[in-house]
């Protein structure tokens, strides 16, 4: 049976952030706590988003780490409780939005955060008691503003997924104006994150035709505009299309992801300094090559259709050609040449493989990977 559930109230336009006060009122948030990070504040983007509140700007927690942690969740919950806040507004990239979802759980549910993780059987324990959340993305990558999940490093060091429809933001204000000042390197890394989401959800074998259509169109938009957005951050058309691609990739999440995310979640837990979107870009070529052996990708021409979305129409060896196109795109965007350039060494492989095998994305890959398969993908990505 296909689960087809769409989704939340989404505003996608330049100036959407101006709707923040009215959206808080609509969903019943009287005193929000804003979750952001120091970089978004320093760049002036936080003030830009909060300008709609005028002199009544809400309090801010801006200590979100690059990879959100349970410790940061606790710190934000303490501030929320001390100030008597009744809801959350996440303004930032995926880290801020994921942290806000962790706060929404921890502020209203007892026990350690890991007990609500998907692989711990915790999804049914997340109830309607979660705090309401409005999401305002400042990057075009993660799509967490329209996703029911969050990725958080818990106290035992694991990077775990938390998934519940109760965590879906009550509103997503997707304002490309907030991404205009995003540096080229971050534009490229977050943009490849969005492309990875579109590709992995499209490759997933789950039956969900609407999600397939959304993911394919998101890939087409993202692939056509990521270089323009990276080269010229003020290109409004490119920024709008990248924001859409990011949103579309996450709208298709309900199909499930795959080995790219199993590996990047695990390696990101082993070394939290590594950027998630950049890791996805490094793993995509090897995973697409591995997935080319899945019957489901050939029975309905899925690889060929991805190649068409990327302007590679007419390819007979779509898996090989897609992988080569991805590596070439990474190079043109100025991303690392591989994991070695990111400081990853082979002595980490066993820990990474352990985490990948246990990750919630492992079983939704179109072809089930073994430990040896993951080791080969790691080696090919070095």
């Amino acid at each position: 049976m296909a689960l087809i559930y769409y989704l939340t109230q989404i505003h996608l336009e330049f100036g959407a952030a101006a709707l923040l006060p009215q959206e808080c009122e609509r969903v019943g948030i009287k005193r929000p706590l804003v979750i952001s990070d120091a970089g978004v504040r320093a760049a002036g983007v936080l003030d830009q988003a909060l300008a709609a509140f005028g002199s009544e700007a809400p309090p801010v927690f801006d200590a979100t780490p690059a990879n959100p942690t349970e410790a940061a969740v606790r710190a934000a919950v303490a501030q929320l409780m001390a100030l008597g806040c009744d809801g959350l507004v996440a303004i930032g990239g995926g880290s801020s939005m994921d942290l806000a979802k962790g706060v929404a759980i921890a502020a209203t549910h007892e026990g350690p955060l890991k007990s609500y993780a998907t692989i711990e059987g915790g999804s049914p324990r997340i109830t309607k008691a979660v705090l309401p959340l409005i999401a305002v993305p400042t990057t075009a990558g993660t799509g967490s503003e329209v996703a029911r999940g969050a990725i958080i490093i818990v106290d035992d060091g694991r990077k775990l997924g938390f998934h519940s429809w109760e965590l879906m933001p009550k509103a997503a204000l997707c304002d490309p104006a907030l991404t205009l000042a995003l540096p080229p390197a971050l534009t490229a890394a977050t943009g490849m994150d969005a492309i990875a989401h579109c590709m992995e959800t499209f490759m997933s074998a789950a039956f969900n035709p609407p999600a397939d259509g959304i993911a394919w169109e998101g890939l087409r938009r993202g692939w056509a505009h990521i270089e323009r957005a990276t080269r010229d951050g003020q290109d409004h058309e490119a920024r709008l299309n990248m924001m859409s691609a990011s949103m579309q990739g996450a709208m298709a999440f309900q199909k499930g992801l795959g080995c790219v995310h199993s590996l990047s979640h695990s390696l990101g837990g082993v070394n939290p300094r590594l950027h998630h979107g950049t890791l996805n870009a490094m793993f995509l070529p090897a995973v697409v090559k591995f997935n080319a052996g899945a019957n489901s990708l050939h029975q309905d021409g899925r690889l060929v259709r991805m190649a068409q979305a990327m302007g590679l129409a007419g390819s007979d060896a779509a898996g090989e050609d897609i992988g080569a196109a991805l590596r070439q795109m990474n190079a043109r965007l100025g991303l690392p040449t591989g994991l070695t350039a990111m400081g990853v060494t082979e002595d980490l492989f066993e820990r990474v493989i352990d985490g990948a095998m246990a990750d919630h994305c492992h079983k939704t890959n179109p072809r089930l990977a073994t430990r040896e398969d993951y080791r080969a993908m790691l080696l090919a990505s070095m």
Side-chain angles (χ1 to χ4, degrees):
M1 180 182 70
L3 175 61
I4 301 172
Y5 186 77
Y6 289 101
L7 255 184
T8 188
Q9 184 154 309
I10 303 168
H11 298 272
L12 173 60
E13 60 183 334
F14 279 87
L19 300 173
L20 256 176
Q22 74 179 55
E23 285 301 301
C24 284
E25 182 177 358
R26 182 182 67 83
V27 304
I29 299 176
K30 293 181 173 59
R31 184 166 174 74
L33 176 66
V34 174
I35 304 294
S36 191
D37 66 58
V40 172
R41 184 191 280 279
V45 177
L46 179 62
D47 288 341
Q48 183 182 348
L50 293 179
F53 288 102
S55 60
E56 303 293 325
V60 175
F61 176 88
D62 65 358
T64 302
N67 285 280
T69 63
E70 188 171 357
V73 168
R74 281 194 297 272
V77 169
Q79 183 174 341
L80 179 139
M81 296 295 191
L83 296 173
C85 297
D86 62 354
L88 297 157
V89 172
I91 301 175
S95 297
S96 294
M97 290 185 277
D98 282 6
L99 186 76
K101 292 174 184 178
V103 173
I105 299 170
T108 53
H109 294 66
E110 295 184 353
L113 199 57
K114 69 178 181 181
S115 62
Y116 301 97
T118 302
I119 65 169
E120 299 286 346
S123 293
R125 303 186 191 116
I126 302 173
T127 72
K128 293 182 181 297
V130 298
L131 290 176
L133 166 65
I134 294 172
V136 186
T138 62
T139 65
T142 179
S144 190
E145 68 274 8
V146 294
R148 63 188 173 95
I151 305 296
I152 297 171
I153 300 175
V154 297
D155 286 340
D156 63 18
R158 290 180 296 164
K159 193 172 188 178
L160 301 183
F162 298 79
H163 298 85
S164 169
W165 292 112
E166 306 300 341
L167 294 176
M168 180 70 68
K170 302 298 184 186
L173 305 182
C174 301
D175 186 345
L178 301 181
T179 70
L180 293 175
L182 201 65
L186 200 52
T187 298
T190 55
M192 286 305 297
D193 192 20
I195 285 170
H197 295 159
C198 292
M199 294 182 75
E200 281 220 288
T201 52
F202 188 73
M203 287 187 287
S204 170
F207 180 76
N208 191 322
D212 285 340
I214 291 168
W216 187 92
E217 175 63 10
L219 172 59
R220 187 192 68 80
R221 287 179 183 274
W223 193 261
H225 291 92
I226 187 170
E227 287 184 85
R228 282 175 54 182
T230 301
R231 183 173 60 250
D232 177 8
Q234 297 298 310
D235 185 329
H236 281 52
E237 182 184 14
R239 290 296 193 184
L240 176 63
N241 278 278
M242 289 309 300
M243 183 68 80
S244 183
S246 174
M247 178 192 70
Q248 288 173 258
M251 288 176 73
F253 275 171
Q254 57 196 267
K255 276 193 71 188
L257 292 161
C259 290
V260 170
H261 282 75
S262 297
L263 287 164
S264 60
H265 289 159
S266 181
L267 182 51
V270 171
N271 184 349
R273 294 186 299 276
L274 298 175
H275 185 268
H276 173 72
T278 307
L279 288 176
N280 284 347
M282 299 300 100
F283 287 129
L284 262 172
V287 172
V288 170
K289 182 178 180 180
F290 172 73
N291 285 351
N295 289 334
S296 62
L297 298 190
H298 297 280
Q299 289 169 351
D300 56 3
R302 211 161 279 259
L303 281 174
V304 173
R305 288 155 66 195
M306 280 203 308
Q308 291 171 343
M310 299 163 69
L312 307 175
S315 169
D316 293 326
E320 293 287 345
D321 286 357
I322 290 171
L326 286 163
R327 285 188 289 271
Q328 291 163 10
M329 177 65 82
N330 288 340
R332 291 198 301 272
L333 295 174
L335 292 173
T337 55
L339 297 177
T340 301
M342 298 176 70
V344 177
T345 52
E346 291 187 29
D347 60 293
L348 301 178
F349 280 11
E350 292 308 310
R351 290 172 62 193
V352 174
I353 293 168
D354 287 344
M357 294 290 291
D359 190 78
H360 63 274
C361 297
H362 168 66
K363 291 185 179 179
T364 52
N365 197 68
R367 181 182 174 196
L368 196 63
T370 65
R371 293 186 68 89
E372 287 307 311
D373 292 329
Y374 275 127
R375 187 172 290 104
M377 285 183 260
L378 282 162
L379 282 169
S381 303
M382 291 296 282

